[in-house]
Amino acid sequence: MCEFCDIALHKKKAYTVYETERTITVLDIEPVNEGHVLIIPKMHVDSIVDLPDEYVLEITEVSRKLIHAYSEVYRAPGYGIMQNGGENCDFGHFHFHVFPRFTNDGYDWIYPEGEKEVSEKVALQLRESTQLGYGR
């Protein structure tokens, strides 16, 4: 069993912030800022594409509640949301990071070197592949 499954089953200690039938939200043990949490589905998957819609909706709802709490508890002027999935999911179990952000908190997003194409061709490939189309 994985570390996050153990947390969801209360077999491993974690500081629980919120819990439902589908998810458990716990403090991250290596926080970006105080209040940084992980929203962990109780279903073992490594990618958001494998989660049923009701789980994704709940994770979004919990994220919004946390962002409101960050404003109230920390007077945080901003927030961060982050998720790595599939092969980049470092624990092999989907989890969603939500954390308060503060002016000059030192957190930074680092981009890899190299050119990236930004064009109508790229937009069209994504539209066609996902069948999103315009305005949907």
Side-chain angles (χ1 to χ4, degrees):
M1 186 143 312
C2 84
E3 185 174 356
F4 288 164
C5 285
D6 286 344
I7 289 171
L9 294 170
H10 300 278
K11 292 181 178 180
K12 181 176 171 112
K13 182 170 173 41
Y15 295 102
T16 302
V17 174
Y18 187 74
E19 184 172 9
T20 69
E21 234 178 75
R22 292 186 183 106
T23 63
I24 186 166
T25 302
V26 300
L27 291 178
D28 191 314
I29 61 171
E30 293 182 13
V32 167
N33 285 314
E34 183 178 311
H36 180 162
V37 300
L38 303 177
I39 305 173
I40 303 167
K42 293 182 178 180
M43 172 186 284
H44 182 84
V45 298
D46 69 356
S47 174
I48 195 169
V49 299
D50 297 325
L51 275 176
D53 290 345
E54 58 270 14
Y55 281 75
V56 177
L57 290 172
E58 182 171 306
I59 289 166
T60 302
E61 289 169 2
V62 173
S63 297
R64 292 178 68 194
K65 289 177 183 181
L66 287 161
I67 292 162
H68 285 294
Y70 295 154
S71 293
E72 188 175 315
V73 173
Y74 299 111
R75 303 287 184 249
Y79 61 90
I81 294 177
M82 184 176 65
Q83 197 276 319
N84 295 311
E87 216 174 272
N88 289 16
C89 182
D90 49 356
F91 285 91
H93 189 123
F94 175 91
H95 56 287
F96 207 67
H97 295 259
V98 185
F99 48 94
R101 292 294 313 274
F102 304 96
T103 305
N104 299 318
D105 64 9
Y107 182 77
D108 197 8
W109 190 291
I110 300 180
Y111 290 91
E113 300 279 327
E115 294 293 319
K116 287 92 178 169
E117 185 174 345
V118 177
S119 67
E120 183 57 33
K121 176 184 144 197
V122 172
L124 179 62
Q125 285 176 318
L126 293 171
R127 272 196 311 271
E128 288 176 349
S129 177
T130 60
Q131 300 176 6
L132 288 173
Y134 283 112
R136 283 197 230 164

